Amino acid sequence: MQYNYFPGRLRFRDPVLRDSDIREAALEAVRLICPQAQITYKESTASILALYPEDSVDAEKLKPLVPLLLKIEPKIRFYTPKKKEAVLSGISEIKKFLLTIV
């Protein structure tokens, strides 16, 4: 999965996002990071883009997400439908963490 971050802009891009269940779970996680974000999904690039007020997200608080993202990254990189539940479980862990910091 490709992640691009600039203050006020966050993009996730990967073919796994074409799966509607995984995409919806990822969108829920992004909404937890910044509820006022303007979030769009582009099917042609399988990417989620979140634009948000730069000062509304403390990037330092998000650093503990890195190990959680790294944990599900191999399942995403070599995704097959058999790994769907593992990916959704990983996103669920991320959402649980986000609920503790927001």
Side-chain angles (χ1 to χ4, degrees):
M1 180 166 288
Q2 178 184 355
Y3 308 95
N4 297 89
Y5 167 78
F6 299 100
R9 180 183 170 102
L10 178 63
R11 181 183 299 275
F12 299 94
R13 181 178 293 158
D14 195 276
V16 74
L17 294 171
R18 289 194 172 104
D19 179 292
S20 62
D21 295 330
I22 292 173
R23 180 176 59 248
E24 284 307 312
L27 287 168
E28 289 171 11
V30 173
R31 286 184 195 105
L32 288 173
I33 292 171
C34 186
Q36 65 267 40
Q38 177 187 350
I39 302 171
T40 57
Y41 171 69
K42 189 171 183 181
E43 180 68 27
S44 63
T45 59
S47 65
I48 294 172
L49 173 64
L51 302 173
Y52 57 91
E54 189 176 321
D55 58 350
S56 65
V57 175
D58 181 1
E60 288 299 313
K61 284 183 163 182
L62 299 179
K63 284 186 178 181
L65 283 175
V66 172
L68 297 173
L69 291 167
L70 291 175
K71 185 176 174 182
I72 65 170
E73 192 273 336
K75 296 170 185 83
I76 292 171
R77 183 184 306 166
F78 304 108
Y79 180 73
T80 65
K82 292 180 183 179
K83 297 179 183 177
K84 181 175 181 172
E85 289 307 313
V87 171
L88 289 171
S89 176
I91 295 171
S92 180
E93 284 184 53
I94 290 168
K95 291 188 318 189
K96 285 178 189 172
F97 170 78
L98 289 170
L99 287 171
T100 67
I101 65 168
V102 290

